[in-house]
Amino acid sequence: MSALLEVSAVTKSFGGVVANRVISISVPQGAIVGLIGPNGSGKTTLFSSIVGAHTIDAGAIHFDGRDITRLRVDAIARLGLIRTFQQTRVYRGMDCMRNMLVCAPCEREGLGAMLQRFPPALLERAESLLDFVGLHAKRQLRAGTLSFGQQKLLEIAMALMREPKLLLLDEPTAGINPTLINSLVERLRRANAELGVTLLVIEHNMRVMMSLAERVYCLAHGELLAAGAPQELRRDARVIEAYLGSH
Amino acid sequence: MKRGANACRLAALAALVVALGLVAPWVFPQAVTQLAFFWLMVLFALTWDVLGGQTGYNSFGNVVFFGLGCYATALVQRDAGLSYFTSLAAGMGLSALLAVAAAALLGPLILGMRGQYFAIATLGLGTVAADLFAGWDYVGGGSGIVPALYPGPIGERNRFFCYVLMALALLTFASLRWLYGTRFGAVLNAIRDDEDKAEAMGLRTTRHKVAAWMLAAFFLGLAGGPVAGLVGFVDPRELAFAGTSFGVWMVLMAVLGGKGTLWGPVIGAAVFHVTQELFWTYLLGWQRVALGLLIVVIVVFFPQGVLGWLRAQRPQWFHETLDEGAAAAQPAQRDEAGMRAHERTA
Amino acid sequence: MDNLAILAQAPVFNLQLLVDGVLIGALFALAAFGMALVWGVLRIINIAQGEFVMLGGYVVVYAAAAGVPPLAAVPLAALALYVLGWLLYRAVIWRVVDQDLFVSVLATFGLSILLQQLANQLFGANVRSVDPGLGTLLLVEGSISVPYVKLVAFAASLALGVALVLFLKRSRLGQAIRATSQNARAARIVGVDTDRVFASTFALNAAICGAAGALVSMTWVIHPYFGLAYTVRAFMIVVVSGLGNLAGIVAWGAGLGVAEQYAGFLLGAQFQTAFVFGLLVVILVARQLALHRRRMVLR
């Protein structure tokens, strides 16, 4: 089947620095694909390019059969491509429930849709998703008062609320208590299996990457270094060099 | 349940306010104009807060919509050749239309940028409008227009417009109360909290911001005509586009009472009205200096406003509903206890 | 329009507008430079900028009334405003530096209202100006008149600008200021007292505005409410030329000065301020459109 996300020869520079050089990756529908690489290899830049946060210098990006290279962030998000942020962004002034509700997709775009109250079905869905990530007890609390790890979970729940086709996760386990990482990984796998969400995940935690991803791309110095099954990459000399060499 | 009890208390409070508002003009005939301006202040504060406190976009130029309303209604009364009340109603309708149109035209241009650029772009709106209208003969130039004379004694006129303004203020309050409980209200708050995130989640932020401004413009435009009728003249600098008074007060009231809440602007308008009376009586000459100082003090030292302060002091009052319909911040400590109880039983 | 016809028939009059525009534009550039400084270092937009200019003008008005030669009062105004700026920083500004722009915009807005009303109350609402008694230069057979004081003001602005650039490049405080503007946290780590840098920068900005205002009072007129227009002018110039672009600020300052002279002549003096505010909106929209293509937003 054709890929859900097709990144073709994307190049992006900032000033004189080439952050992404001719990168091509492909994410099949329903898969969990990983993106690894040492710090500064251009992973988050690639994410930003994909979601339209900045323009790219060369190449093309296709999502769900459409060319999204020229689209803006909000238009791309409405197509079903959602990303989470490395620094975890939630709506800090609102309580968790409201954070969730405002992420519900809106089928109709007009004034009528804007002016609806939140229907009970939506409230239930929000609660069940909060329960799914383990935040049900905190649903009335202001998001800004949650701990970093809890905010990360909220952000993931919010992304799922949006019913994405493809979810770009930027280091989802960074900063999470190690004892909770397993349950988070399990939830991501369930989201993929039960809710049908395709995942593209940036991760530094190799154990997580190995257990989660079916296919992994490795970036280094802005270029695509290697691609393949996680087990292969772990033994790939170039990948090891890229990580060890940069320390 | 607690929620129900609080809601009942608030509804009772609102009913009391309305009842007082209905009765006061008869009991205190000498204070009718005061009362009318109080309702106007409530409307000013509430409409500013839609974009200001709820969306995080500071507008220094909202007075433009009010001024358009003053002029439009006065012009219809002068030129349309209708009877007094018909022309007043028609005028107010036209005012609302023009104000909304102005927001619809200007909004997409300047609301596409982040808040501080929008704020500065609006700084000059009042002055530009005042200069343009002061130089336009059709609307009376610098002298302005005298709207049609009310067909009745002054006491009756003042009472009439006081009730009209009260009705407008209540309408504004009720509309916003409903609005803040809808999806639209939640989106505004999302824009305030993290606009980039809102865009990344697919929300059409500019569209919502413009719609919010159009809503504020609608009520501001409606209010122009009655005020013109009450005051008896429409002057471009002193009344219609009074940036240094009305324009500034809008901001002050909402922040003072607690921006981003439903009752905050109302409380702010009430406190401000009293303070303004005191300032004008005891600090004559220096009252505007005092107001300027008040803004600085409040913004810097008391940014959470009366309602925010109250929430910090008595979080239990806010557990459910002083902001029913607005973005309610639930205090952590009460829920911690509840959550612990929940976890013990789970 | 009759005025347009005048420009066409008497081309030399264009020169008058140009000269006037460039000369006043230098003063706009000064205010813009100060605003860029505060924006870059403290990361706040100072809406009270124009009020600092206005107060500088009043210092000269009252100093001249007390017998001080007007040109000597310029450094006096700068000094007075430096002190005021420093005091305002210590009283108010330091509290809003860390907070979001919404708060600092509101705070400096409140300050501008306060200063404006204070000036109105203390000095009266009348338009004031000071005549330094330098006479007028007549060019092109008397068709163009340039008061000598405008030339002096222009030279003074340039000199001040150059002095500021040198100060920022060479002096220790200047370097500390530049370091803080690039990365405040890093500056703190290497031992820069960023609070003192902030205070000095804000006070310096006030002094720059004070000097500009002093010159304005001699070349033009001042009154308590003209501050807002100056704030808007300074902001416009900074937005168009960019924060670090000194040459741009000078060029766009001159350009704005000329544009305003033409607007005032063609539209009428009463619409000159409206023109400035309207131009601001046009510039912001144009900027926004340009950024739109690059998926960015004016932020």
Side-chain angles (χ1 to χ4, degrees), chain A residues 78 89 104 114 116 140 162, chain B residues 183-184 194 201-202 330:
Chain A
R78 280 193 295 276
R89 298 174 84 147
M114 279 201 235
Q116 280 182 332
Q140 298 293 356
R162 196 68 183 68
Chain B
R183 184 193 190 90
F184 187 83
D194 195 333
M201 294 303 282
Q330 301 296 336

Side-chain angles (χ1 to χ4, degrees), chain B residues 72-94 148-149 151:
Chain B
T73 310
L75 284 170
V76 166
Q77 288 187 315
R78 184 186 73 180
D79 296 341
L82 303 166
S83 75
Y84 186 84
F85 293 103
T86 319
S87 67
L88 180 66
M92 283 171 69
L94 181 66
L149 207 53

Side-chain angles (χ1 to χ4, degrees), chain B:
Chain B
M1 283 234 1
K2 208 46 189 297
R3 185 180 198 105
N6 262 337
C8 279
R9 269 189 226 119
L10 276 181
L13 179 62
L16 183 64
V17 169
V18 172
L20 285 176
L22 286 171
V23 162
W26 297 94
V27 178
F28 304 104
Q30 68 277 19
V32 174
T33 315
Q34 296 284 22
L35 193 58
F37 270 92
F38 165 70
W39 293 120
L40 181 66
M41 293 300 127
V42 169
L43 189 145
F44 275 171
L46 282 171
T47 51
W48 182 88
D49 198 56
V50 178
L51 212 55
Q54 296 284 343
T55 318
Y57 272 71
N58 210 333
S59 169
F60 293 121
N62 275 8
V63 75
V64 150
F65 304 123
F66 171 74
L68 279 176
C70 291
Y71 270 101
T73 310
L75 284 170
V76 166
Q77 288 187 315
R78 184 186 73 180
D79 296 341
L82 303 166
S83 75
Y84 186 84
F85 293 103
T86 319
S87 67
L88 180 66
M92 283 171 69
L94 181 66
S95 299
L97 205 67
L98 284 179
V100 171
L105 286 173
L106 194 55
L109 292 178
I110 61 178
L111 278 169
M113 324 174 200
R114 285 295 184 263
Q116 64 272 26
Y117 291 92
F118 171 74
I120 298 192
T122 59
L123 269 178
L125 281 183
T127 314
V128 172
D131 284 346
L132 289 178
F133 276 71
W136 190 11
D137 289 325
Y138 174 66
V139 296
S143 334
I145 308 182
V146 175
L149 207 53
Y150 183 85
I154 291 215
E156 186 189 308
R157 174 193 79 175
N158 293 352
R159 253 199 316 276
F160 171 73
F161 284 119
C162 180
Y163 283 135
V164 170
L165 286 168
M166 175 172 132
L168 286 179
L170 292 176
L171 180 66
T172 309
F173 182 87
S175 307
L176 292 182
R177 184 178 183 284
W178 167 77
L179 185 77
Y180 293 156
T182 65
R183 184 193 190 90
F184 187 83
V187 174
L188 292 185
N189 293 149
I191 294 174
R192 174 193 63 195
D193 287 350
D194 195 333
E195 188 160 4
D196 290 333
K197 173 77 177 176
E199 278 183 351
M201 294 303 282
L203 296 171
R204 293 181 193 275
T205 53
T206 306
R207 189 182 286 193
H208 283 80
K209 287 184 271 184
V210 173
W213 211 27
M214 284 165 66
L215 182 69
F218 176 74
F219 292 113
L220 285 165
L222 277 180
V227 173
L230 177 66
V231 167
F233 68 89
V234 177
D235 175 293
R237 295 186 204 283
E238 296 304 315
L239 185 78
F241 304 110
T244 49
S245 49
F246 293 154
V248 170
W249 300 348
M250 285 181 200
V251 181
L252 177 55
M253 288 186 286
V255 178
L256 174 57
K259 60 175 160 55
T261 64
L262 186 60
W263 281 90
V266 178
I267 294 175
V271 173
F272 172 74
H273 207 62
V274 172
T275 318
Q276 188 196 21
E277 275 309 298
L278 292 174
F279 279 3
W280 252 252
T281 312
Y282 295 109
L283 294 175
L284 193 59
W286 293 85
Q287 69 271 28
R288 291 182 186 230
V289 176
L291 278 177
L293 187 59
L294 194 59
I295 297 180
V296 177
V297 167
I298 288 173
V299 167
V300 174
F301 297 97
F302 196 51
Q304 72 274 30
V306 170
L307 216 55
W309 176 83
L310 215 54
R311 179 180 288 152
Q313 299 296 311
R314 295 260 186 282
Q316 60 273 23
W317 287 4
F318 290 81
H319 177 63
E320 295 300 335
T321 41
L322 206 68
D323 300 285
E324 189 175 48
Q330 301 296 336
Q333 59 264 45
R334 204 197 146 104
D335 267 273
E336 284 290 357
M339 186 204 70
R340 259 177 262 131
H342 177 92
E343 280 179 340
R344 251 180 272 127
T345 58

Side-chain angles (χ1 to χ4, degrees), chain A residues 6 41 55 64 71 81 90 114 158 163 177-178 193 200 214 222:
Chain A
E6 193 74 58
S41 51
T55 53
D64 205 13
L71 292 186
L81 209 178
V90 295
M114 279 201 235
M158 283 162 68
E163 293 175 18
N177 192 322
L200 176 60
E214 301 152 15

Side-chain angles (χ1 to χ4, degrees), chain C residues 3-298:
Chain C
N3 284 348
L4 199 52
I6 293 180
L7 285 180
Q9 284 164 17
V12 71
F13 197 67
N14 284 287
L15 209 52
Q16 172 82 66
L17 291 178
L18 240 117
V19 168
D20 279 338
V22 170
L23 294 181
I24 194 83
L27 297 176
F28 295 165
L30 267 184
F33 187 85
M35 175 166 268
L37 209 56
V38 168
W39 195 343
V41 177
L42 284 81
R43 301 260 187 272
I44 68 175
I45 299 179
N46 181 27
I47 296 192
Q49 190 81 345
E51 272 68 36
F52 289 161
V53 174
M54 178 261 298
L55 288 175
Y58 275 103
V59 169
V60 170
V61 165
Y62 282 92
V68 177
L71 286 172
V74 175
L76 189 64
L79 185 62
L81 265 297
Y82 185 92
V83 171
L84 178 66
W86 196 88
L87 286 173
L88 284 176
Y89 177 82
R90 287 274 166 240
V92 175
I93 302 293
W94 72 269
R95 297 170 201 274
V96 298
V97 164
D98 291 330
Q99 305 191 39
D100 57 60
L101 267 169
F102 187 83
V103 176
S104 66
V105 162
L106 274 181
T108 53
F109 170 74
L111 264 181
S112 99
I113 298 290
L114 173 61
L115 291 174
Q116 194 185 87
Q117 295 298 337
L118 207 54
N120 188 38
Q121 192 62 18
L122 291 173
F123 308 138
N126 294 328
V127 160
R128 307 278 268 267
S129 79
V130 174
D131 182 6
L134 288 180
T136 307
L137 177 64
L138 292 172
L139 297 173
V140 191
E141 296 150 18
S143 319
I144 304 201
S145 70
V146 183
Y148 276 113
V149 67
K150 284 194 181 178
L151 291 170
V152 170
F154 183 76
S157 319
L158 288 185
L160 191 53
V162 170
L164 281 167
V165 171
L166 286 176
F167 167 75
L168 286 175
K169 278 215 165 82
R170 304 280 169 83
S171 75
R172 286 213 59 158
L173 183 57
Q175 288 175 351
I177 289 177
R178 279 164 55 223
T180 309
S181 78
Q182 285 178 22
N183 191 329
R185 197 175 294 156
R188 231 171 273 141
I189 290 175
V190 298
V192 171
D193 182 351
T194 48
D195 186 61
R196 189 169 154 258
V197 166
F198 288 160
S200 307
T201 308
F202 196 79
L204 185 62
N205 170 53
I208 297 172
C209 293
L215 294 168
V216 168
S217 72
M218 293 188 275
T219 58
W220 226 7
V221 295
I222 58 167
H223 64 87
Y225 290 104
F226 90 171
L228 187 61
Y230 261 88
T231 300
V232 168
R233 288 180 185 117
F235 181 76
M236 253 200 290
I237 295 170
V238 173
V239 166
V240 168
S241 47
L243 276 180
N245 186 355
L246 178 64
I249 285 179
V250 171
W252 286 104
L256 177 62
V258 172
E260 247 192 75
Q261 292 298 312
Y262 271 92
F265 186 69
L266 293 173
L267 302 172
Q270 71 269 32
F271 293 120
Q272 194 164 331
T273 321
F275 170 77
V276 172
F277 291 137
L279 189 61
L280 169 67
V281 176
V282 169
I283 285 178
L284 286 178
V285 172
R287 200 89 176 130
Q288 172 76 342
L289 284 175
L291 287 174
H292 200 86
R293 299 172 157 280
R294 290 194 281 154
R295 293 311 158 72
M296 300 196 303
V297 147
L298 211 53

